[in-house]
Amino acid sequence: MPTTTTIMICGVGGQGAVLAADILARCAMAYGQDVKISEIHGMSQRGGAVTTIIRVGEEVSSMVASPGSVDYLLGFETTEALRNIHYLSPTGTLIVNDQTIQPLSVLSGAAKPASGVRKSLVDRGAHMIDAVRFAAQAGSIKAANIVMLGALSAYLPYPEDLWVQTISRRVPAKFLQSNLAAFAAPRQ
């Protein structure tokens, strides 16, 4: 039976989760894998939740991920990572951008911010990545999504040059160098 790897990317609108998922899927296809992808955007244009499932392998029959089945959960934001943690398999890897983006209800004072989110993630074995700092050092805080791909890439079989080629095809030329530096930052 062919092995399938399931990756979930979760965050909020504007963090580049959809671009990151596209780069990951294209990299997997260039590596010769079958790929199925499913995206849930919600109110993403207004800062709402964005969740993408990417399933890769020799032969992928479905894009659906059940609770407890995700091999790699890539959280672009702490609250969304914790909200989706039930999808992570008991042996799965949790990689989280160490950033919390407060929802509008908290910013407006209608709700209190969640407490203990970071501690809960760390207690579950999360690899916390300061993606915003790495991205800023690379030249653009908007490249935090690419920093997170760089962190994930250490766990996947795709060679670095394949990632670089895929990012180069997908990112506009004027942002390419900062994105490549962002990808490399967590790999060092």
Side-chain angles (χ1 to χ4, degrees):
M1 177 179 221
T3 302
T4 300
T5 300
T6 304
I7 303 146
M8 174 184 276
I9 299 176
C10 58
V12 297
Q15 287 190 291
V18 173
L19 175 61
D22 182 67
I23 290 170
L24 172 58
R26 289 172 187 260
C27 193
M29 286 187 287
Y31 189 70
Q33 291 185 313
D34 188 20
V35 177
K36 299 281 189 285
I37 189 166
S38 170
E39 298 173 355
I40 301 171
H41 297 279
M43 294 290 287
S44 61
Q45 291 182 339
R46 301 190 191 279
V50 176
T51 305
T52 303
I53 304 292
I54 306 102
R55 300 193 74 221
V56 299
E58 186 180 314
E59 184 180 325
V60 181
S61 60
S62 170
M63 67 187 107
V64 178
S66 304
S69 70
V70 169
D71 299 298
Y72 299 97
L73 194 151
L74 193 62
F76 281 18
E77 188 273 337
T78 58
T79 305
E80 288 303 315
L82 188 59
R83 185 186 329 264
N84 288 287
I85 203 165
H86 65 283
Y87 283 97
L88 189 64
S89 92
T91 59
T93 301
L94 178 60
I95 306 168
V96 182
N97 178 9
D98 200 357
Q99 175 186 30
T100 300
I101 298 175
Q102 298 297 346
L104 185 58
S105 59
V106 171
L107 295 174
S108 69
K112 294 191 182 286
S115 63
V117 172
R118 187 179 195 285
K119 181 180 181 333
S120 295
L121 292 167
V122 170
D123 288 350
R124 287 288 305 266
H127 300 278
M128 303 302 289
I129 307 292
D130 192 349
V132 174
R133 179 177 59 82
F134 281 135
Q137 290 171 347
S140 173
I141 61 169
K142 291 185 176 188
N145 60 336
I146 305 301
V147 170
M148 295 302 290
L149 278 182
L152 175 65
S153 72
Y155 298 93
L156 299 175
Y158 319 132
E160 183 176 0
D161 66 322
L162 187 57
W163 285 101
V164 168
Q165 289 170 17
T166 306
I167 292 167
S168 297
R169 286 188 193 108
R170 201 52 193 89
V171 173
K174 66 181 178 179
F175 303 117
L176 183 57
Q177 290 311 309
S178 60
N179 277 265
L180 292 176
F183 177 79
R187 294 173 55 93
Q188 299 173 1

